[in-house]
Amino acid sequence: MGTTVFNNNSRTLGLLHVSEEQTAAINGPEYKEYIKILYLPAGFKLRVDFSVYQTTQPTLFFISPNQYLEIEEAGAESGYFIFYNRDFYCIQIHDQEVACDGLLFNNIRNMPKVELLEHEIAFLGGLFNEMISEFHLNDSQLEEMVRTYLKQLLIRATRSWKRQHLNNEVTDQQSDMEFFRKFTRLVEEHYKSKHTVADYADFLCMAPKTITHKFNRLRLPQPNEVIKNRIILEAKRLLVHTSLTAKEIAYELGYNDPAYFSRLFQTKTGESPSGFRASFLALGQQ
């Protein structure tokens, strides 16, 4: 495949093939800090945080730097792995261009995948080939061309995500769609310090019951559950990927009363923080 990594000052984007030989490197620490997009044909098995996915058809996965990724099994056919940093392309800054923040990334329903239709597979195959050709050309416009291809991928994938995960009525109501994304982005930005629906109602300049009504219309869980689920997900990450104590994690997540946080964790997961850590580590040793 040749050299398919662009690196200029702090701006980085790379494109690699994914097969059995590359899984150890992808699973390692080298790519953890990057935003990642995986295109995987049928036959792959991967873990994203605490969910396991198996591909039965070509599928795109979108992984944020704070998420845990491990490819557990590789399929017979190789896929593609794109990694880039925020300096190369920040979806928050360029939100109007691709409108994928809160859908493909930082999604409150934790659905980071898009299964592809035949015409989408053909489009993406052509796009990856164009990106590889651009790297081989090594022209002075390489950075901008590759960024353009990345935006095309994100726009196409966002359309596909809406088709798969939202009913037609919601997709057709642009204001509801934007509310979904805005609430998601706010939770992702503030979950460590803002723990109630009223907090987010203040941000959105609306009554808490209005948020609840919109969630019902979008067929989402109750907004309070969404906020708490994001907090618990981060707690789980810290429990299994750091050596912080339960008390330190409580403070990290904005709880001044560690006992209250432990009760919340127990209610949501059925285990105490220390019990969850022990269970997860024991599972990893099997």
Side-chain angles (χ1 to χ4, degrees):
M1 193 168 174
T3 301
T4 49
V5 178
F6 170 83
N7 199 324
N8 185 6
N9 296 322
S10 60
R11 302 186 304 280
T12 302
L13 178 141
L15 172 63
L16 306 174
H17 278 307
V18 184
S19 62
E20 188 73 50
E21 293 73 27
Q22 282 82 37
T23 55
I26 292 171
N27 292 343
E30 183 178 352
Y31 301 105
K32 181 171 175 52
E33 67 186 72
Y34 292 102
I35 302 159
K36 296 170 279 289
I37 302 172
L38 284 158
Y39 173 88
L40 302 178
F44 279 80
K45 179 181 178 182
L46 69 160
R47 181 181 297 274
V48 181
D49 284 325
F50 304 96
S51 299
V52 174
Y53 302 91
Q54 290 187 291
T55 59
T56 57
Q57 65 190 85
T59 305
L60 286 169
F61 292 87
F62 301 86
I63 316 295
S64 301
N66 62 333
Q67 291 186 285
Y68 174 79
L69 166 68
E70 181 182 0
I71 300 175
E72 297 184 350
E73 295 175 14
E77 186 183 345
S78 65
Y80 292 99
F81 175 62
I82 294 176
F83 62 94
Y84 62 98
N85 60 10
R86 287 188 174 91
D87 288 334
F88 184 86
Y89 192 76
C90 177
I91 59 171
Q92 287 82 13
I93 292 174
H94 300 283
D95 185 65
Q96 288 187 327
E97 293 180 345
V98 294
C100 70
D101 191 21
L103 300 181
L104 304 181
F105 298 98
N106 305 318
N107 184 289
I108 55 178
R109 297 173 78 179
N110 199 26
M111 294 184 293
K113 68 168 187 170
V114 175
E115 294 178 333
L116 301 168
L117 300 176
E118 284 297 325
H119 72 278
E120 294 166 332
I121 295 168
F123 170 81
L124 286 174
L127 187 145
F128 286 124
N129 286 332
E130 289 292 336
M131 289 181 76
I132 293 167
S133 297
E134 197 62 38
F135 276 110
H136 291 165
L137 276 176
N138 199 23
D139 184 79
S140 60
Q141 301 300 314
L142 168 66
E143 178 180 2
E144 198 49 48
M145 282 295 287
V146 172
R147 187 179 289 111
T148 299
Y149 290 133
L150 175 64
K151 287 194 283 188
Q152 287 184 52
L153 190 160
L154 292 171
I155 291 167
R156 286 287 190 126
T158 300
R159 291 175 181 170
S160 299
W161 188 96
K162 292 177 185 177
R163 170 179 53 78
Q164 281 175 45
H165 296 295
L166 298 176
N167 60 51
N168 291 332
E169 292 80 7
V170 173
T171 306
D172 292 340
Q173 294 173 21
Q174 191 62 27
S175 62
D176 280 352
M177 190 72 254
E178 283 308 303
F179 169 79
F180 176 92
R181 295 203 315 117
K182 189 169 186 178
F183 188 90
T184 297
R185 297 201 304 272
L186 285 171
V187 171
E188 187 63 30
E189 186 177 352
H190 298 288
Y191 68 88
K192 290 184 179 182
S193 58
K194 305 296 183 184
H195 299 161
T196 70
V197 178
D199 290 330
Y200 294 93
D202 288 342
F203 281 127
L204 295 163
C205 300
M206 62 177 62
K209 64 180 181 182
T210 304
I211 295 179
T212 300
H213 175 71
K214 284 181 173 287
F215 268 62
N216 290 338
R217 198 158 69 184
L218 289 164
R219 299 181 184 176
L220 291 170
Q222 291 302 298
N224 183 60
E225 289 300 299
V226 169
I227 298 163
K228 294 297 188 287
N229 287 344
R230 181 61 185 91
I231 293 165
I232 296 302
L233 172 60
E234 195 64 23
K236 288 180 176 180
R237 288 173 178 166
L238 294 171
L239 283 165
V240 302
H241 300 305
T242 77
S243 59
L244 292 175
T245 66
K247 182 184 288 188
E248 289 169 332
I249 290 170
Y251 293 141
E252 172 74 13
L253 296 176
Y255 290 91
N256 295 322
D257 182 352
Y260 173 83
F261 171 74
S262 291
R263 289 195 299 273
L264 171 67
F265 190 93
Q266 176 97 34
T267 300
K268 296 293 290 181
T269 68
E271 295 182 280
S272 67
S274 58
F276 176 84
R277 172 177 271 163
S279 298
F280 190 89
L281 294 177
L283 192 65
Q285 292 170 1
Q286 290 178 1

